[in-house]
Amino acid sequence: MRKLVAAAFAGILLVGPSILLSDTSSAQAQPTPPDKVQVQVLTVDPNSPAASTKPQPLTFMLSLTNATQAPLTGLTITAERGDPIGTQQALDHAIADPQPPTDELAGNVIKPDAPPLTASLPAGATIRLSIHTDSDIPQDAGLCICHDAIYPIYFTVQQQAEDGSTATLGTAQTYLPAFKDPPRKVQVGWIWPLLERPHRLLSQTAFTDDQLAQSVAGGGRLDRLLQVAEQVGATVPMTLVIDPELLAELQTMTTGYQVQESDGSSVAGTGGAAAADWLSRLRGLLDTVPQMEVDLTPYADPDISALVGNGLSWATTMPTAMQDAVMSALGRRLPDSDIAWPAGNQASQGTLAALVQNGARAVVLAGQSVSAPSGQDQVAEPPSGLAQIRTASGSAVAALVSPSVDRYVGPALALGGNGLKLLPELVSEVAIRAIDPASAQYVLLVPPRDLNPDLAVSVRALRAVAQTAWSSAVPLRSALDTTQPTKVVTLLDSSGPSDAEAPGIQAAQQVTNVLPGLTSMFTAADAHSLLGTIPAGVQRVMSNSWAVDPDAQLTAINELQKRLTSLQNGVHLVKPTNGTYTLGSNDSPLPITIDNTLGVTVSVRIQLSTVGNLPGFKADDLGVQSIPTQGKLQLHVPVHVDRAGRIPVQVVLYAPAAETQGGQLTLGESLQLSVHSTALGDIGKVITLLAAVVLALALLVRIVRRVRAGRASIAPLDADAKAALLSGDLT
C-alpha cells in the first residue's frame, strides 16, 4: 500500500542529511511533559518547493532542546511526510493538533539507504540541526508530491533503551505547499503601514520630540518599513497606508524645525537630512513601481471608533498647509483616501456608517466580525476575501481578513518575534486557497499598525506568499476595480463599545464644548491665530498610533488641555482687596474690574446675580464688553436694590456666545461679593407710607372721638338759668 501511495504522490527526495551543532548553552528550558526534547522547526527553505524534473535544494533547520537535567545520548531523528491536507478546516485542525502520519499515507523523508540521523544533547542544552535535501519528482522517490496539497512533515526524536524498546522524546511538524501542475493563482493583497505617532501638537514647526528623526534614519523603524517596500515592490506591489500627518512632519523637517525641551526651551531638530532622504526614496518607489498603491488615512490616523462611539467627529480633509506639504512630499501626488482601516479591523455599525458616509469605498474588517453569507456553513472559518456589506449610509466592500492567516502575520514579521518559525504556517494558510475551491480566492494580509519589522524576514514573507507559482500580488484597490463581490455579509456587532475611556476622549469633548465659546471672544483673524490648530491637536491626541507610547500620549493630552485652560482663564475677573460693598441708595453702581492677559483684544459678557436667587437685587446687562490687549477694564454696573441689609452677590464672566454645546462658557473664576444696602427700596418706601397713613388715620379717629366726648359732657340751660345769666345774678 505504501508503495502505491508513494508512486501516486511524487516529490521530495532527501539525498543526504548533515548536522550542525551550535548554541550548546545551558538554556533553562522548562520541561513540557511528555516531551523531554523540545523540537522546533526554525526554517524551511524554500517554503513552496517548485515541481521540477531536476533536483532542487531544500533545507529544514531544526532546534532541539534538552528539557531535562540529564544528558541525552543515542538520539535518532526521523522525518516523515504526514497526511496530505486539502481543505481549510483540515489545515487548521492539523496546525492546532499535530498528529503522526497514518501508516497508509506516511512517507519516509529520509531514504532507506541514507545513514540514520543521530544526535546527543547535554543537560539543558540546545542544538541546531540542519537537514539539507533535494526536491524532485521522479516516480521512484522516497517521498512523492504529485497531488495539489499541503504536506505536513513530521519530525520525531527517539531514544532506544537498553532493553531494545524505543521512546519518543519529542516531535514537531511543519508544512509544505506543493502543486503538481500550476494551479489557479490566489490573489494576495498586502496592506503595508507607513504610520507613526504624531510628533507635533499645536504648532506646524515645533515638534514635541526628535524621535521621528531616529525612525527615518538608517536602521530605524520607518526606514526598515520603507526598505521592505523597496525590495519587494517590483514583484509584490501592495497598498501603502500612510498618515498625511507623517508626510507633513517629514516635509517640515526638510526645511528646519524646532524641538521642545522638557524645560520649555527649544533646540534645532537634527533630522532634516534623514527626512529628505526618506521622502526621496518614497517618491522613487512610487515612480518606478506604478502598481504600488497609496491610501491616506485621515490626518493623524485618529481612533474613529472611539470618536463615533462618543458622538464626536473627525476632520476628513486636511488643512490647506498640510495638503500642500503632503503634495510636496509625494512629488505633487495627492493619493486617494477611499480605503478605511479601523483599528483592530473592528467597527461598530455607527462607525461603519460614518466611514461610508465620509467616502470609504472599502473597509478592512476582521472576518470574525461579520456573519457568513446566507447558506454558508456557519461552523466553517469566518468569511474572508471581498464581500458586500450594507450600512446606514449605503453599501461598501468589506475587505475581510481571515483569522487563520492574520494570527501569523504580525508575529512572523515583527522584529524579535518568531520570524521564520511561523512562515511555513503563514504560507500554508494562504496556499490552501489555491487548493480548496471553497476558500476565498482573494487574501488580504494586514500587519499591525505599529509594525516594527524584521527586514529580512518581512521581505522573505511577502515574496513567499505573493510571488509563487500559486499566487500573485494584487493590491486592494486593484482588486476592487477588477472583482465584483457577490457575497453579502452582515456586521455582527450592531452597536459597538463607546470607548468612553479611550485616552483623548475627554480632551476631544472639552474642545467640542468650549471651542465655540472661545471663538466668539475674538475677531476672525485672532480666532484663527489662537484656535486654528486646536482641532488638529485633538485629532493628533486621538491617533491610533499612540498605542506604542501611551505615556507620551498622556503628555500630549495634558498639553492640549493646558492650552485650552490658559485661553479660558486668559481673561478673568479681578478679585478686589475687600469684597464688601456698601450701597447708599437703591440705584448705586457696583465696580467690577476685568483683566485680559491674552495678546489680543477679547470680548466678554458679565453677569451679576444673588447667591441662591435671593429677591431684592437686580443688575443691568451691559452687553458685550471689549477688553484691550494686555489691559484691564473697570466697569460700574448699575444695580437696583429693593431691600436693606447684606446681599451675597456672584459675578461671572462669560464668552459672548449665549449658548454653546456645553452651555455658556465661563471665563476664569467667579467672584463672591457681599453687598450691604442702607437705602430703602421700593418695598420699604411703600411700607413706610402705609405706616404713616395708618398712623394719621388712627390720630384722626382719636381726635374725632375726643371732640364727640366733650360735647356730650355740657348740659343745656333751663329758662330760669338763662334769665339769671342775663340779669347778672347767676351764682
Side-chain angles (χ1 to χ4, degrees):
M1 179 66 181
R2 179 171 296 186
K3 291 182 179 179
L4 293 174
V5 173
F9 287 102
I12 296 180
L13 175 63
L14 285 178
V15 177
S18 63
I19 299 177
L20 299 178
L21 296 179
S22 63
D23 300 336
T24 55
S25 59
S26 56
Q28 298 299 315
Q30 294 299 318
T32 307
D35 289 350
K36 293 183 178 180
V37 176
Q38 297 175 350
V39 185
Q40 286 186 316
V41 181
L42 301 180
T43 62
V44 178
D45 188 17
N47 290 101
S48 298
S52 173
T53 58
K54 297 180 180 180
Q56 301 294 325
L58 177 64
T59 302
F60 300 95
M61 177 71 77
L62 304 184
S63 169
L64 278 61
T65 299
N66 184 347
T68 73
Q69 299 303 312
L72 298 174
T73 59
L75 303 179
T76 301
I77 297 91
T78 61
E80 293 182 293
R81 183 202 65 211
D83 300 350
I85 298 170
T87 66
Q88 176 73 62
Q89 281 185 296
L91 176 61
D92 289 343
H93 180 73
I95 292 175
D97 186 22
Q99 295 294 323
T102 59
D103 290 339
E104 293 79 7
L105 296 178
N108 188 10
V109 173
I110 301 177
K111 290 185 65 176
D113 57 353
L117 192 59
T118 62
S120 296
L121 279 171
T126 296
I127 68 169
R128 288 190 176 186
L129 184 152
S130 180
I131 306 175
H132 299 286
T133 76
D134 288 334
S135 65
D136 59 15
I137 57 169
Q139 293 300 310
D140 61 349
L143 175 61
C144 305
I145 302 180
C146 282
H147 282 191
D148 296 342
I150 306 296
Y151 284 85
I153 307 298
Y154 195 82
F155 299 94
T156 306
V157 178
Q158 295 178 319
Q159 186 182 49
Q160 189 172 18
E162 293 181 357
D163 61 2
S165 62
T166 301
T168 297
L169 304 187
T171 62
Q173 184 165 282
T174 192
Y175 307 88
L176 284 173
F179 299 87
K180 176 184 177 182
D181 300 310
R184 180 182 64 171
K185 289 192 174 185
V186 178
Q187 294 183 333
V188 177
W190 276 95
I191 294 286
W192 198 246
L194 297 180
L195 302 172
E196 173 81 1
R197 71 167 179 83
H199 296 272
R200 301 182 299 184
L201 185 60
L202 296 173
S203 171
Q204 300 301 319
T205 58
F207 283 54
T208 56
D209 54 64
D210 211 13
Q211 294 181 17
L212 184 54
Q214 303 171 22
S215 188
V216 296
R221 190 182 73 89
L222 284 171
D223 170 64
R224 281 179 279 114
L225 283 167
L226 185 55
Q227 281 195 62
V228 173
E230 289 173 316
Q231 292 189 31
V232 305
T235 53
V236 187
M238 49 192 165
T239 302
L240 306 178
V241 176
I242 309 178
D243 178 5
E245 172 69 15
L246 170 62
L247 296 174
E249 287 180 351
L250 292 171
Q251 184 64 27
T252 299
M253 290 169 64
T254 65
T255 57
Y257 65 107
Q258 295 290 310
V259 177
Q260 297 172 340
E261 298 284 274
S262 58
D263 60 1
S265 61
S266 297
V267 297
T270 62
D277 179 66
W278 194 92
L279 290 175
S280 176
R281 289 164 51 200
L282 177 60
R283 290 191 296 268
L285 173 64
L286 299 180
D287 288 339
T288 56
V289 186
Q291 302 89 350
M292 189 74 72
E293 297 177 354
V294 175
D295 187 80
L296 298 181
T297 69
Y299 75 83
D301 187 26
D303 185 350
I304 294 173
S305 295
L307 290 169
V308 172
N310 287 276
L312 301 169
S313 60
W314 73 97
T316 57
T317 58
M318 291 178 274
T320 302
M322 182 180 293
Q323 180 171 307
D324 292 342
V326 169
M327 292 186 67
S328 296
L330 294 178
R332 309 315 299 170
R333 296 178 179 87
L334 189 60
D336 291 329
S337 302
D338 57 352
I339 296 174
W341 180 20
N345 308 331
Q346 301 286 337
S348 66
Q349 290 281 12
T351 301
L352 193 60
L355 291 171
V356 174
Q357 183 179 14
N358 284 284
R361 176 186 180 189
V363 182
V364 178
L365 294 172
Q368 61 268 36
S369 70
V370 301
S371 65
S374 177
Q376 180 172 314
D377 184 3
Q378 300 295 315
V379 181
E381 174 181 303
S384 59
L386 303 179
Q388 287 285 340
I389 191 165
R390 298 187 177 95
T391 77
S393 301
S395 295
V397 175
L400 301 174
V401 180
S402 165
S404 295
V405 175
D406 190 54
R407 61 179 169 173
Y408 297 111
V409 174
L413 304 183
L415 186 67
N418 288 318
L420 299 177
K421 299 177 187 178
L422 296 177
L423 195 51
E425 283 86 347
L426 174 60
V427 172
S428 297
E429 286 287 3
V430 178
I432 192 66
R433 285 156 171 76
I435 300 168
D436 185 357
S439 298
Q441 295 303 298
Y442 186 77
V443 183
L444 186 65
L445 292 93
V446 184
R449 263 180 159 75
D450 57 351
L451 176 66
N452 188 10
D454 183 305
L455 177 59
V457 175
S458 295
V459 168
R460 179 172 170 179
L462 267 68
R463 289 174 174 162
V465 299
Q467 186 189 354
T468 71
W470 47 265
S471 65
S472 60
V474 180
L476 180 53
R477 192 174 287 114
S478 297
L480 297 175
D481 292 336
T482 58
T483 304
Q484 181 62 41
T486 57
K487 57 186 176 183
V488 179
V489 296
T490 304
L491 197 65
L492 291 175
D493 178 15
S494 60
S495 58
S498 66
D499 287 327
E501 300 301 322
I505 283 296
Q506 290 185 352
Q509 290 173 330
Q510 181 183 2
V511 170
T512 300
N513 291 338
V514 307
L515 199 57
L518 289 175
T519 302
S520 70
M521 295 168 53
F522 310 112
T523 65
D526 290 340
H528 177 75
S529 174
L530 291 174
L531 309 175
T533 60
I534 288 180
V538 172
Q539 198 137 316
R540 287 165 181 152
V541 300
M542 285 300 300
S543 175
N544 285 303
S545 296
W546 287 109
V548 299
D549 198 348
D551 290 339
Q553 181 186 22
L554 292 177
T555 299
I557 291 170
N558 291 336
E559 286 298 318
L560 178 61
Q561 292 176 324
K562 187 186 300 183
R563 174 62 172 162
L564 291 171
T565 302
S566 67
L567 288 171
Q568 198 168 342
N569 294 335
V571 56
H572 56 271
L573 297 166
V574 177
K575 186 175 182 180
T577 304
N578 182 0
T580 300
Y581 295 90
T582 300
L583 302 181
S585 67
N586 61 340
D587 290 317
S588 299
L590 195 62
I592 302 295
T593 301
I594 305 172
D595 186 13
N596 174 20
T597 62
L598 300 177
V600 298
T601 299
V602 299
S603 298
V604 297
R605 301 179 69 97
I606 190 170
Q607 183 182 81
L608 283 73
S609 61
T610 58
V611 177
N613 294 320
L614 294 176
F617 179 92
K618 181 181 179 182
D620 288 353
D621 183 1
L622 298 183
V624 176
Q625 298 293 313
S626 180
I627 320 296
T629 302
Q630 299 290 336
K632 293 183 179 181
L633 176 67
Q634 187 173 59
L635 301 175
H636 292 83
V637 184
V639 296
H640 308 281
V641 182
D642 292 335
R643 55 179 293 181
R646 178 183 175 277
I647 305 173
V649 174
Q650 178 174 266
V651 185
V652 183
L653 199 62
Y654 290 105
E659 290 291 334
T660 66
Q661 185 169 335
Q664 285 186 294
L665 178 63
T666 60
L667 306 173
E669 295 182 357
S670 62
L671 289 181
Q672 296 285 338
L673 304 179
S674 180
V675 176
H676 288 261
S677 175
T678 59
L680 293 177
D682 293 337
I683 296 177
K685 292 178 180 179
V686 171
I687 293 175
T688 302
L689 179 59
L690 289 176
V693 171
V694 171
L695 181 61
L697 289 176
L699 182 60
L700 180 60
V701 169
R702 184 175 181 182
I703 292 173
V704 170
R705 287 179 177 176
R706 293 189 64 180
V707 170
R708 289 179 177 176
R711 289 179 179 176
S713 63
I714 302 175
L717 299 176
D718 55 15
D720 292 338
K722 290 181 179 179
L725 180 61
L726 292 173
S727 63
D729 193 23
L730 183 60
T731 58

